[in-house]
Amino acid sequence: MGFVKVVKNKAYFKRYQVKYRRRREGKTDYYARKRLIIQNKNKYNTPKYRLVVRFTNKVIIAQVAYATIEGDKIVCDARSSELPRYGIKTGLTNYPASYAVGLLLARRLNQKYGLDETYTGVEEVDGEEYYVEKEGERGAFYCVLDTGLSRTSSGARIFGVLKGAVDGGLDIPHSSKRFPGYNTETQENDAAAHRSRILGEHISSYMQTLLDEDEDAYKRQFATYRKEGIMPDMIEGMYTKAHAAIRADPSPAPKKEKPEGYKPKSYKRPRMSIQQRKGRVAQQKAAFLALH
């Protein structure tokens, strides 16, 4: 038998160091995070803001955060679960909903810092490339996009949130190369195609196609739209009205006051008294003796 080198020997295991917990869980890309949060030393303790976008199966979460030694601090938060307040009752994880969440976050953040009247952004969706320019003494709120572990493929929903935030008046460095409608051959952005995607025209056309060709599939795939009474020709108007409603009042909904004596629901088994414990033991003894 030839020579076999032992790689994982005692010295290997003595020096072995586990990776960070969130790396072991597959939740954080620390290579990217380091470059997003490290601040120049000559800027001292100035926060470095990030537009953090995450997708779950049911909700789109957009937050503006900055890192500290104790952990990330959240400056502003917006979620697609808030969109029913503005008239978007269903389809809370698609591209139009992504744009609406980005717009809601931007308007809410600008309102918080008193920039909502100075930096109004794009009031009517046109899909054109837009960059915020400084007006007056105060500059626009600057942050960078944090995509996490999401694939940054062309036309991805994460860029819908980015576009909504930019149109809402935030200063975020970007280009139009990843937006829907960008042509890689001519290197031009088709604003009309991007506008149609933001206003859900691809959804309405697919709904109409299914309605004409396969009504059973339409009833199955768009059951929640039918339940809310949304027809294909109502999609664009629904999103346009929602954008106007978001601009009119981006503030978060007030929290519901809990009644006096409220106790949160607990799933733990209540603690037994000494009499209950003795009775339980007696029952177990009796059941055991009955079997034997």
Side-chain angles (χ1 to χ4, degrees):
M1 184 177 177
F3 174 73
V4 178
K5 183 180 180 183
V6 180
V7 178
K8 293 187 178 179
N9 53 15
K10 185 176 180 180
Y12 167 84
F13 287 108
K14 284 180 75 174
R15 292 166 177 267
Y16 183 78
Q17 182 179 7
V18 297
K19 290 181 169 56
Y20 291 151
R21 176 180 59 80
R22 288 185 63 86
R23 172 61 189 89
R24 298 199 305 270
E25 294 171 352
K27 291 181 178 179
T28 298
D29 178 1
Y30 281 98
Y31 184 87
R33 178 177 169 81
K34 178 184 175 183
R35 284 150 182 79
L36 284 168
I37 69 172
I38 293 296
Q39 181 66 286
N40 294 336
K41 286 192 173 182
N42 61 359
K43 294 184 180 178
Y44 299 98
N45 206 26
T46 305
K48 196 170 186 178
Y49 296 104
R50 310 183 335 266
L51 170 59
V52 183
V53 183
R54 299 292 182 265
F55 290 84
T56 69
N57 288 340
K58 293 184 178 181
V59 182
I60 302 168
I61 305 166
Q63 297 174 329
V64 171
Y66 64 95
T68 67
I69 197 71
E70 295 89 8
D72 284 8
K73 304 294 184 183
I74 307 301
V75 176
C76 189
D77 176 279
R79 296 163 188 254
S80 61
S81 54
E82 300 178 64
L83 295 181
R85 280 178 59 205
Y86 301 102
I88 303 174
K89 303 289 185 183
T90 186
L92 301 181
T93 55
N94 55 25
Y95 195 91
S98 303
Y99 178 90
V101 169
L103 180 66
L104 176 60
L105 178 73
R107 299 312 301 161
R108 183 172 291 173
L109 186 63
N110 281 338
Q111 185 186 59
K112 178 178 180 178
Y113 289 115
L115 297 169
D116 50 335
E117 294 183 4
T118 308
Y119 298 99
T120 56
V122 180
E123 298 193 14
E124 288 189 14
V125 177
D126 54 11
E128 294 285 351
E129 199 168 352
Y130 174 74
Y131 298 96
V132 178
E133 294 181 0
K134 184 178 179 181
E135 296 179 19
E137 295 181 358
R138 300 176 67 190
F141 190 94
Y142 178 87
C143 56
V144 293
L145 179 65
D146 181 343
T147 60
L149 300 175
S150 300
R151 291 285 180 92
T152 53
S153 52
S154 297
R157 294 173 298 166
I158 202 161
F159 297 114
V161 179
L162 169 66
K163 180 61 175 168
V166 170
D167 284 0
L170 297 188
D171 183 8
I172 306 173
H174 70 284
S175 73
S176 61
K177 289 185 178 181
R178 289 298 184 187
F179 290 147
Y182 182 80
N183 191 325
T184 54
E185 294 180 359
T186 61
Q187 295 187 350
E188 292 181 356
N189 183 38
D190 186 353
H194 196 184
R195 179 186 179 278
S196 69
R197 186 59 63 95
I198 291 169
L199 295 178
E201 290 182 16
H202 60 296
I203 300 170
S204 58
S205 62
Y206 182 58
M207 286 176 72
Q208 192 61 53
T209 303
L210 276 186
L211 189 59
D212 296 339
E213 297 177 1
D214 190 349
E215 193 169 345
D216 292 335
Y218 170 77
K219 290 179 180 178
R220 184 175 61 253
Q221 290 177 233
F222 291 98
T224 52
Y225 284 79
R226 292 178 63 244
K227 184 179 178 182
E228 297 294 341
I230 302 169
M231 298 302 291
D233 56 347
M234 300 165 63
I235 296 287
E236 184 176 339
M238 177 180 73
Y239 288 115
T240 305
K241 290 176 183 176
H243 297 162
I246 287 170
R247 287 183 173 277
D249 182 19
S251 57
K255 291 183 179 180
K256 295 180 181 177
E257 292 185 5
K258 294 176 182 177
E260 292 183 9
Y262 169 79
K263 290 184 179 180
K265 192 172 183 180
S266 175
Y267 294 93
K268 294 181 180 179
R269 189 174 70 175
R271 185 180 176 85
M272 292 190 296
S273 65
I274 185 67
Q275 290 83 7
Q276 289 173 326
R277 287 202 298 274
K278 286 180 178 179
R280 182 169 175 269
V281 171
Q283 285 178 352
Q284 289 177 337
K285 280 184 179 179
F288 179 80
L289 293 173
L291 290 173
H292 299 80

